Amino acid sequence: MRLSKLAALLLSAALSVPAVAAELVVIVSSRSPVAQLRAEQVADIFLAEVARFPEGGEAVAIDQAINTPLRNEFYSKVAAKSPALMKAYWTKMIFTGRGQPPREMASSAAVRKLVADNPNMIGYIERSALDASVKPVLVVH
């Protein structure tokens, strides 16, 4: 009996502690001339509103896999859009011929590798996945 009460107490304590979200960073290749971007600029690139970095170079967005916590957090914080709003947004953009969603990768490591290999690409990963092949241009809070 005591063990089940202790287990229930521990479970309730664990459920009351908020999950700590990974700190997200928007990245470009370490070879890119882009040094820093504002959240609005990043949102415009990922929402296919602009196709160039402020410096003039082509900007190709790379996304995390759909319905992952990282992707949902990114769009919530950078573009103020929920997964449902993002789905509606891309449905409209595709239907009207105004844009295509970014290419998706399965993990932060895959995004980092692709972005590192191409100075025109931009992606987002957990800060813990950073290495010297890429540089952060925005920390997402």
Side-chain angles (χ1 to χ4, degrees), residues 20-65:
V20 177
E23 188 173 33
L24 300 177
V25 290
V26 177
I27 58 166
V28 295
S29 170
S30 60
R31 297 179 288 143
S32 171
V34 178
Q36 188 173 3
L37 295 171
R38 294 186 322 274
E40 304 82 39
Q41 293 170 310
V42 171
D44 286 347
I45 292 168
F46 276 85
L47 297 175
E49 296 292 329
V50 299
R52 301 209 164 273
F53 288 114
E55 290 80 5
E58 180 184 13
V60 179
I62 302 298
D63 229 336
Q64 296 279 344

Side-chain angles (χ1 to χ4, degrees), residues 39-104:
E40 304 82 39
Q41 293 170 310
V42 171
D44 286 347
I45 292 168
F46 276 85
L47 297 175
E49 296 292 329
V50 299
R52 301 209 164 273
F53 288 114
E55 290 80 5
E58 180 184 13
V60 179
I62 302 298
D63 229 336
Q64 296 279 344
I66 197 162
N67 290 328
T68 58
L70 196 62
R71 178 176 170 144
N72 294 345
E73 182 181 355
F74 172 78
Y75 282 104
S76 171
K77 290 182 176 178
V78 172
K81 293 189 183 297
S82 68
L85 286 174
M86 285 306 302
K87 183 176 182 179
Y89 178 84
W90 284 115
T91 299
K92 180 180 177 183
M93 291 292 282
I94 292 166
F95 182 75
T96 60
R98 291 187 14 221
Q100 291 290 319
R103 178 175 166 191
E104 294 175 16

